[in-house]
Amino acid sequence: MKKFIVVALLLALSVSFAFASSLKVPWFVDSGAANGGNPPVNGTTIALVYLTSNSSSDLDCSIQYYNAMGQELGRKSATAHAAAGSYAGDLYTPNANTFRIPALASIAFRPVADDDPTNATGLQEGGVGRLVPNRGTTLIDGVTADVKTNGSLVVSWVDGDVTGPAAGAPDKAVQGAYQYVKSNTGDGRVVGYGHLLPPGL
């Protein structure tokens, strides 16, 4: 009965609200230098997050980063490289947490480092993926330091922004995968794995 009353009040007051969907990378490590290539330098790792949009129109997404304690981290905005295929309209202000996936496109990005798409060994992200904000080095308060190169991340989007056939299942509008590559110290052996990303809530 209480739920019915709340819904009735919202309708009576014409209150509008949006539902959102998400997906999550449970853990990443991205300690390799920018433009270090794949595989990375011995003793370091690179992480690549792949996202594909099933929306028939451009989809604006947001990203949050968390450390091992579950504390939200700040973000670092990325620099646009228009000549290298950056996506028009994706210019960010400091600590912005939004990015855009073009309609029906797939992007790849590194959570910590920026690979310059104009560099011969920096082709891991590409122009669009480079525009995804990176994990910051402080907590969301902007003061408390956290300079590690690991954590978890959540990508979210508004269900109502999804168009085309995917609008019928907006929680599946963005699908993703995670790739981890490490070069062992000393022997230089390369270890790597990848997996699909679980949907969020």
Side-chain angles (χ1 to χ4, degrees), residues 36 39 46 95 97 103 105 135 138-139 142 157:
I46 60 170
N95 290 324
N97 70 331
R135 178 202 194 280
T138 60
L139 299 187
W157 60 95

Side-chain angles (χ1 to χ4, degrees), residues 130-196:
R130 182 177 162 83
L131 297 177
V132 178
N134 291 339
R135 178 202 194 280
T137 54
T138 60
L139 299 187
I140 197 70
D141 61 15
V143 177
T144 309
D146 187 319
V147 297
K148 295 182 179 179
T149 59
N150 57 28
S152 64
L153 65 87
V154 179
V155 173
S156 306
W157 60 95
V158 176
D159 291 353
D161 292 344
V162 180
T163 63
D171 58 317
K172 296 177 178 64
V174 177
Q175 296 172 310
Y178 171 75
Q179 180 185 23
Y180 166 93
V181 182
K182 177 181 180 180
S183 292
N184 289 332
T185 303
D187 59 23
R189 288 182 296 173
V190 176
V191 178
Y193 65 83
H195 58 78
L196 296 178

Side-chain angles (χ1 to χ4, degrees), residues 19-25 51 61-64 153-159 170-176 197-201:
F19 293 100
S21 295
S22 65
L23 59 77
K24 184 171 187 175
V25 175
L51 301 175
C61 299
S62 63
I63 189 166
Q64 280 82 34
L153 65 87
V154 179
V155 173
S156 306
W157 60 95
V158 176
D159 291 353
D171 58 317
K172 296 177 178 64
V174 177
Q175 296 172 310
L197 298 178
L201 300 174

